[in-house]
Amino acid sequence: MMQELLLFGALSVGLYFLLLMTVLKLPRCKSTAKLHRKTAIVTGANTGIGKTTAMDLARRGARVILACRDRGRAEAAIQEIVQETGNNQVIFMQLDLASLKSVRSFADNFLRSESRLDLLINNVDFNCLTTHRDLVLGSNSFQLFQNYSHSKLCNILFTYELAKRLQGSDVTCYSLHPGQYTSDFY
Ligand SMILES: NC(=O)c1ccc[n+]([C@@H]2O[C@H](COP(=O)([O-])OP(=O)(O)OC[C@H]3O[C@@H](n4cnc5c(N)ncnc54)[C@H](OP(=O)(O)O)[C@@H]3O)[C@@H](O)[C@H]2O)c1
């Protein structure tokens, strides 16, 4: 019995690594594009995917605005990004996406202090959708998965509508799934 269990364990681990190296292996971005003289906003950039994105943009030379709700957390991230990339054009602007007042005040500040915007990365998901955390913590309720799916569908529909409204301008819109990433939330 013990031998069978060990064999089963070894086969499962083997299968997991096989899947990891084949089906689950996602392509890496190989772009060497530079972004000097470009300005980017990344929302929720003090941690997780937002921080990694801000780091990459800074490494490519962009001026990066970390649009975050907590100054302390944002400044800690900025310090890390500047240290890692050598780009000191990384700044904090206060934004709490749960408050439209804060969104308007962010937009005013941005328009007053910046002369251009080249990239806007809408990275935040509201914490009020506890779907992600519950899913990861083991709840397998179908309802939770449906909520998660609806939230992702909303992202896609929003992008379609934005693209439609901006038709004829030079602005292009994309929605994407970043793949699985170990972050504060997941
Ligand atoms: N991680 C994955 O595997 C994965 C997979 C698919 C999609 N995604 C999507 O990728 C995005 C980022 O995920 P993540 O895993 O990097 O999450 P995370 O580590 O939890 O980071 C979320 C960021 O959003 C900020 N935030 C939350 N509510 C905010 C608000 N009201 N105003 C301003 N900022 C707010 C957080 O700020 P605080 O630090 O102040 O809380 C934090 O900086 C989400 O939209 C998620 O759905 C992630």
Side-chain angles (χ1 to χ4, degrees):
M1 184 64 180
M2 189 61 182
Q3 270 179 337
E4 282 160 1
L5 273 177
L6 282 174
L7 185 65
F8 178 74
L11 283 176
S12 305
V13 172
L15 182 66
Y16 173 73
F17 279 107
L18 188 68
L19 283 175
L20 215 57
M21 303 300 289
T22 53
V23 184
L24 299 176
K25 189 173 172 206
L26 296 171
R28 281 177 170 268
C29 174
K30 297 198 179 98
S31 166
T32 54
K34 296 289 176 215
L35 294 171
H36 297 105
R37 292 179 297 283
K38 303 278 187 202
T39 298
I41 295 175
V42 185
T43 66
N46 57 279
T47 187
I49 292 175
K51 186 167 85 177
T52 302
T53 304
M55 182 83 80
D56 186 80
L57 297 173
R59 196 169 278 125
R60 292 169 193 273
R63 175 173 171 81
V64 188
I65 292 159
L66 273 65
C68 301
R69 58 184 167 182
D70 185 279
R71 176 180 285 276
R73 282 200 286 270
E75 284 181 350
I78 289 174
Q79 207 178 8
E80 199 184 319
I81 294 170
V82 170
Q83 208 167 12
E84 282 241 352
T85 64
N87 179 348
N88 57 14
Q89 291 288 303
V90 184
I91 61 166
F92 162 71
M93 275 192 204
Q94 217 279 332
L95 171 66
D96 181 352
L97 280 160
S99 151
L100 282 179
K101 193 171 162 215
S102 171
V103 171
R104 290 195 183 95
S105 148
F106 172 86
D108 286 346
N109 282 345
F110 180 86
L111 291 171
R112 253 200 313 273
S113 58
E114 299 292 323
S115 57
R116 59 183 297 148
L117 174 63
D118 300 280
L119 290 155
L120 167 63
I121 303 196
N122 293 318
N123 162 72
V124 169
D125 197 18
F126 290 116
N127 288 353
C128 59
L129 286 175
T130 53
T131 52
H132 303 68
R133 195 187 297 275
D134 291 345
L135 273 173
V136 171
L137 291 181
S139 164
N140 44 28
S141 146
F142 181 67
Q143 184 59 45
L144 286 177
F145 188 67
Q146 266 199 328
N147 291 349
Y148 176 82
S149 307
H150 287 161
S151 83
K152 294 302 156 194
L153 179 62
C154 290
N155 289 154
I156 294 166
L157 293 177
F158 169 81
T159 309
Y160 267 108
E161 181 60 26
L162 192 60
K164 215 162 80 185
R165 290 185 191 202
L166 293 172
Q167 221 165 19
S169 73
D170 284 339
V171 181
T172 53
C173 310
Y174 310 88
S175 62
L176 62 96
H177 191 293
Q180 195 61 35
Y181 182 102
T182 308
S183 66
D184 285 1
F185 214 66
Y186 285 76

